């Protein structure tokens, strides 16, 4: 069985300051508007809850669950929606809350899908961005921080459903038994 090592990347304090900064920007930009946050399950749940706590404007919150076939560190790019939003978004401002942008396919799919309901606007807020891995043109309107092309876990983000509970963010490398 392959084993993995976790390397610290972002501390709780660093994450908190990133999230507070994003919340400040969003509160300023969306004051007086009808904002619906659409959180992508499961990875963005912790980010969403911390972000909402720091907003200074009223918002509504909804969730989508998307599947991209494949497990572990690879995704296929074929995306399906398995849990849709329940709040009507026509005429409203929508902000997608995502944990991490990789190829960009998930966000391109969801942005297009949500736009079909005629919202006033659809923008993207992502905690992390692996820009080097982008395959389709998608940019976050609100971005926490860029990260290198490494596999991230913690703060809601999983590796085969493990490590979501960690309050810090780590990157994962396989342990080579020959070198132990
Ligand atoms: P994309 O569609 O290729 O941009 O992939 C985005 C989705 O893949 C994110 O919502 C994450 O769930 C997942 N993902 C991308 N990179 C990582 C990572 O480093 N660790 C864990 N999940 C990741
Ligand atoms: Mg995700």
């Amino acid at each position: 069985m392959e084993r993995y090592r976790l390397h610290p990347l972002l501390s709780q304090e660093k994450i908190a300051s990133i999230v507070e900064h994003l919340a400040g920007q969003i509160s300023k930009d969306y004051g007086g508007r009808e904002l619906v946050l659409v959180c992508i399950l499961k990875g963005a749940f912790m980010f969403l809850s911390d972000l909402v706590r720091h907003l200074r404007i009223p918002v509504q919150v909804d969730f989508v669950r998307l599947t991209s076939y494949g497990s572990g560190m690879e995704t296929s790019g074929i995306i399906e929606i398995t849990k849709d939003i329940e709040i009507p978004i026509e005429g409203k401002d929508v902000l997608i809350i995502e944990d991490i942008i990789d190829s960009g396919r998930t966000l391109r799919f969801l942005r297009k899908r949500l736009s079909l309901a005629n919202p006033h606007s659809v923008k993207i807020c992502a905690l992390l961005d692996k820009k080097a891995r982008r395959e389709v043109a998608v940019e976050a309107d609100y971005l926490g921080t860029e990260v290198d092309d490494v596999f991230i876990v913690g703060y809601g983000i999983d590796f085969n459903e493990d490590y979501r509970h960690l309050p810090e963010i780590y990157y994962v490398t396989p342990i080579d038994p020959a070198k132990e």
Side-chain angles (χ1 to χ4, degrees):
M1 200 187 91
E2 215 171 355
R3 291 160 60 228
Y4 298 89
R5 179 168 286 138
L6 267 54
H7 312 265
L9 190 63
L10 298 172
S11 66
Q12 289 189 60
E13 292 72 24
K14 179 70 189 162
I15 296 168
S17 98
I18 289 171
V19 172
E20 281 168 40
H21 180 73
L22 289 171
Q25 285 183 295
I26 293 165
S27 301
K28 186 160 104 352
D29 294 353
Y30 286 93
R33 314 256 290 270
E34 274 193 282
L35 181 58
V36 181
L37 303 181
V38 174
C39 172
I40 306 182
L41 294 172
K42 301 178 194 171
F45 82 94
M46 217 179 267
F47 176 39
L48 170 85
S49 64
D50 283 344
L51 188 71
V52 166
R53 253 185 285 250
H54 287 98
L55 291 177
R56 289 291 164 262
I57 54 169
V59 294
Q60 295 183 331
V61 175
D62 211 339
F63 298 88
V64 290
R65 177 103 173 98
L66 303 170
T67 52
S68 155
Y69 294 100
S71 65
M73 297 192 186
E74 294 300 322
T75 57
S76 67
I78 303 161
I79 298 154
E80 262 182 25
I81 190 154
T82 57
K83 189 238 167 285
D84 209 340
I85 52 166
E86 291 158 29
I87 295 177
I89 56 168
E90 185 174 350
K92 296 180 187 171
D93 291 298
V94 172
L95 186 59
I96 300 171
I97 308 298
E98 173 64 312
D99 52 3
I100 179 162
I101 316 177
D102 187 344
S103 71
R105 291 181 189 283
T106 301
L107 282 169
R108 187 182 61 169
F109 169 88
L110 184 61
R111 193 170 57 185
K112 242 189 230 169
R113 180 76 167 50
L114 294 174
S115 298
L116 298 176
N118 294 317
H120 177 254
S121 69
V122 182
K123 290 194 173 180
I124 292 167
C125 172
L127 179 63
L128 306 173
D129 189 355
K130 295 192 213 174
K131 281 197 201 287
R133 296 200 22 112
R134 197 71 90 258
E135 291 168 18
V136 299
V138 168
E139 289 304 323
D141 301 280
Y142 300 90
L143 176 64
T145 183
E146 211 177 305
V147 290
D148 292 338
D149 180 9
V150 288
F151 197 82
I152 304 288
V153 297
Y155 196 66
I157 303 167
D158 75 308
F159 175 33
N160 286 342
E161 296 300 329
D162 288 325
Y163 309 120
R164 290 192 201 277
H165 63 286
L166 298 170
E168 307 86 13
I169 290 175
Y170 298 81
Y171 69 93
V172 181
T173 54
I175 296 174
D176 183 351
K179 290 186 185 154
E180 290 298 301

